[in-house]
Amino acid sequence: MGRRRSFSDIGYSFVIGGLALLALVIIVTPVVVVLAMSFGEGQSLKFPPTGFTFRWYAELFDASQSRQIHRAVGNSLEVAALSTLFGVLLGALGALGLSRSRSKAARLGESLFMSPLVLPGIAFGLAALMYFTFIGLRPSLGLIVAGHMIVTVPFILRTTGASLSQLDPALNDSSQSLGAAWLYTLRRVTLPLIAPGIAAGAFLAFMSSIDNVPVSLFLSTARTDMLPIRMWGMMESSLDVRIAAISGVLIAAAFVLMLLMEWTVGLTRRMRD
Amino acid sequence: MTTLTAKLRDWQLALPLALAFAALFLAPLLLLLGVTFFNDDRMTQPGLAQWAKFFGDPFNYKVIADTLLLGVKTVAATLIVGYPLALVFVDLSPRWQRVLLFVIVMPLLLSVVVRTFAWIVVLGHEGLVNTLLLRLGVITEPLKLLQTELGLVISLTQIEMPLMLLPLISVMSRLEPNLRDAAAALGASRWRTLFTVILPLSMPGLVAGCLLVFASSTTAFISQTVIGGVRLIYLPLVIWQQSLVVFNWPLAAVASMALLVSILTVIAALSWLGRRASGAVHG
């Protein structure tokens, strides 16, 4: 462009660039700071930490010193795996059903299934606790699985729905006009094409279950302790630098899993669509 | 005949999910509403006493207002720094876009508790911000950032940022790139292009981002209690205290309905505004 850059345009680059940089700093700093803390020798949360030690990680992985944390991690993993499994079964079928219907009921159903994303989780957590108590069910991991399934299934619906909307309907029609049965078409044509979408949604649902606070807060007990609730307890009661070590492990795990999902199903691309 | 069975089959595929939502989502929420209409915490006497108690106390109005304001402030903060980042994002090469998107999504997959803990370290008495400012000589006494609303809003800005950025980036990457060149060729400054062309066209993503950030920050129990401390009281804390500490379920249910209704009202208003704004551009 032959136009000379005016003062206002330079100001624009300055302001927008500056704010964008600030956003990046705000996003990245806490992650780096926690990683640094987890290797620090100090007992306090002083920054920058002094010294370098693996002590907190050693304590964290020691079965006798961190038994409660290990149990909470086990519970969280079990609940996340089961709620994702049920979520994928119900959610993928649901997305298929919704994508093929243009009725008002289908649109209403879609808003209902997506509503856990904006509804206050804490209100649903309390409602679930009251409901299970009233119908006489005792607290168990199974109930937490049910609660987590409801609040994480929107992720599966969204990514599966997005892949379905990019599916060429002609594929379906030609498969059927060539004599393939409905189930055969689903299994051999539709499912392979939407599998990456389902996988991306399942990954997001799994991570969001691991991270869930509002439902676990109300449905977990001392016996069915969940990792975020245990960490919250550790933060509220005493200063325990093992939290930094747990955070370090979670950061590493999230990083590796995300790279894996990025290479296999293009996770970030699916999240922006 | 085939079309009829096909229709039935398609519709039936969503049935298991619908049944699960009816039994595990709608039924509990209806029960929550029902519980509010009991006077005593043993739930024997039906009545409106708990509604009267909750809304008769001026303190609770302040709690509701503070909760909604916290959401508004967090939305404003994520928008002010997040929107420019989204603008920069669309100008990057595909390769750098992938890297930046990875950085943006990463915190979303990190536990909220981890992110909250991180901000305690950053904002604490001897934390990163205070150490940095003291060494630079900007301040002589450590600032009190934890257990203040400012500290909470800063933390929530990072914690909720991905929810603002993802819908924004999604909409902005689909905008016609020539629009900006056309505006520039017609003599519009970059500011004018931003406010009269890009901003109105990105309204759907902006509204979606605001909705998600607002809903998430107003119900962020852990961040609110750990960073906000005991003196900053928001609705989720009231709900938790009344249900799991005091065991007054009817009052906790009333507080939950207050949270639910106020958040849904703001969300309905925002999406209405969003539809009007994008309608004005396209229509």
Side-chain angles (χ1 to χ4, degrees):
Chain A
M1 219 148 290
R3 214 161 66 89
R4 258 189 314 157
R5 280 166 63 94
S6 67
F7 265 128
S8 123
D9 283 2
I10 294 167
Y12 174 91
S13 307
F14 200 70
V15 172
I16 298 296
L19 286 174
L21 197 67
L22 180 64
L24 268 182
V25 169
I26 291 177
I27 291 174
V28 174
T29 308
V31 180
V32 177
V33 165
V34 166
L35 280 177
M37 286 303 295
S38 69
F39 294 109
E41 272 171 353
Q43 292 266 14
S44 71
L45 296 181
K46 201 170 157 181
F47 196 91
T50 48
F52 180 88
T53 177
F54 284 109
R55 182 183 151 198
W56 310 113
Y57 285 94
E59 276 188 21
L60 178 65
F61 284 107
D62 188 87
S64 59
Q65 283 185 67
S66 306
R67 184 171 302 130
Q68 288 178 314
I69 297 175
H70 289 195
R71 197 174 52 189
V73 170
N75 285 340
S76 278
L77 286 174
E78 190 183 332
V79 166
L82 287 174
S83 62
T84 306
L85 180 71
F86 290 124
V88 164
L89 288 175
L90 296 181
L93 280 180
L96 273 170
L98 291 178
S99 74
R100 293 183 192 183
S101 170
R102 268 172 213 84
S103 66
K104 238 188 179 142
R107 297 287 77 83
L108 200 69
E110 197 172 357
S111 325
L112 171 68
F113 303 146
M114 297 307 281
S115 64
L117 280 185
V118 287
L119 216 71
I122 204 139
F124 172 65
L126 175 64
L129 170 68
M130 289 175 173
Y131 178 67
F132 291 138
T133 311
F134 271 98
I135 57 179
L137 295 174
R138 309 193 56 181
S140 69
L141 283 183
L143 297 186
I144 307 181
V145 169
H148 279 202
M149 202 273 290
I150 295 294
V151 293
T152 57
V153 85
F155 295 107
I156 299 166
L157 278 172
R158 196 166 58 185
T159 53
T160 311
S163 348
L164 278 168
S165 67
Q166 284 157 11
L167 206 66
D168 189 350
L171 281 172
N172 222 333
D173 297 343
S174 45
S175 167
Q176 272 170 358
S177 65
L178 289 171
W182 173 82
L183 195 63
Y184 187 86
T185 308
L186 179 69
R187 200 156 50 85
R188 300 300 295 268
V189 179
T190 314
L191 273 185
L193 287 170
I194 63 169
I198 298 178
F203 173 69
L204 294 177
F206 183 86
M207 297 304 277
S208 142
S209 163
I210 293 270
D211 186 26
N212 182 282
V213 169
V215 175
S216 303
L217 183 69
F218 288 97
L219 295 185
S220 72
T221 61
R223 206 168 44 80
T224 59
D225 203 5
M226 305 290 284
L227 184 63
I229 308 299
R230 168 120 308 260
M231 288 176 74
W232 175 53
M234 288 167 75
M235 272 196 288
E236 288 278 79
S237 58
S238 63
L239 202 84
D240 191 336
V241 188
R242 274 182 305 173
I243 298 181
I246 303 177
S247 305
V249 173
L250 288 175
I251 290 170
F255 189 75
V256 171
L257 282 174
M258 226 185 115
L259 275 182
L260 207 69
M261 294 305 286
E262 186 66 28
W263 279 326
T264 49
V265 298
L267 178 76
T268 48
R269 180 168 46 83
R270 282 171 201 286
M271 289 184 74
R272 58 188 262 208
D273 289 337
Chain B
M1 187 61 209
T2 38
T3 52
L4 184 67
T5 48
K7 251 185 197 157
L8 271 176
R9 215 160 32 209
D10 293 343
W11 176 80
Q12 280 165 343
L13 288 175
L15 202 57
L17 187 65
L19 289 177
F21 262 76
L24 299 170
F25 185 69
L26 290 179
L29 288 177
L30 279 177
L31 182 78
L32 182 75
L33 180 63
V35 167
T36 63
F37 300 114
F38 283 99
N39 285 346
D40 54 329
D41 49 12
R42 323 217 90 211
M43 282 173 269
T44 47
Q45 270 187 312
L48 292 170
Q50 299 290 350
W51 285 92
K53 187 177 164 192
F54 186 83
F55 287 102
D57 188 347
F59 176 74
N60 288 329
Y61 290 101
K62 185 183 175 311
V63 172
I64 296 176
D66 283 350
T67 309
L68 296 179
L69 259 170
L70 177 70
V72 171
K73 286 176 185 168
T74 308
V75 166
T78 44
L79 197 58
I80 287 169
V81 293
Y83 199 90
L85 185 59
L87 281 175
V88 169
F89 178 91
V90 284
D91 278 346
L92 293 175
S93 69
R95 189 193 157 85
W96 281 105
Q97 282 193 349
R98 274 181 76 127
V99 175
L100 185 55
L101 203 54
F102 195 87
V103 172
I104 290 168
V105 172
M106 179 76 188
L108 190 65
L109 299 178
L110 262 188
S111 168
V112 165
V113 188
V114 172
R115 283 180 270 168
T116 302
F117 173 72
W119 281 101
I120 294 182
V121 182
V122 174
L123 299 177
H125 195 71
E126 297 178 302
L128 173 70
V129 172
N130 273 324
T131 309
L132 207 65
L133 291 180
L134 280 171
R135 290 220 182 134
L136 290 174
V138 181
I139 51 171
T140 49
E141 288 276 298
L143 295 174
K144 188 174 163 56
L145 292 167
L146 288 180
Q147 305 188 355
T148 64
E149 201 190 27
L150 175 68
L152 181 57
V153 171
I154 294 175
S155 314
L156 284 174
T157 302
Q158 188 247 359
I159 292 171
E160 315 292 0
M161 184 100 74
L163 298 179
M164 176 65 81
L165 281 171
L166 287 173
L168 265 183
I169 284 175
S170 161
V171 168
M172 278 158 94
S173 331
R174 272 182 246 140
L175 292 185
E176 174 64 49
N178 290 333
L179 272 175
R180 216 174 34 185
D181 296 340
L186 291 171
S189 74
R190 297 186 73 178
W191 286 113
R192 193 156 170 213
T193 312
L194 171 63
F195 286 112
T196 56
V197 180
I198 302 176
L199 195 61
L201 285 173
S202 63
M203 210 41 107
L206 194 146
V207 170
C210 291
L211 291 185
L212 290 172
V213 170
F214 182 81
S216 181
S217 57
T218 43
T219 186
F221 175 71
I222 298 261
S223 313
Q224 289 172 5
T225 50
V226 174
I227 295 173
V230 281
R231 268 174 304 155
L232 295 178
I233 297 174
Y234 301 102
L235 269 176
L237 180 68
V238 174
I239 295 169
W240 177 76
Q241 272 177 339
Q242 288 301 325
S243 59
L244 295 182
V245 183
V246 186
F247 289 104
N248 186 347
W249 282 12
L251 192 61
V254 173
S256 302
M257 292 316 288
L259 180 66
L260 210 85
V261 170
S262 42
I263 289 181
L264 290 182
T265 309
V266 173
I267 285 178
L270 262 177
S271 22
W272 180 76
L273 275 176
R275 268 200 307 275
R276 254 185 57 144
S278 48
V281 172
H282 299 298

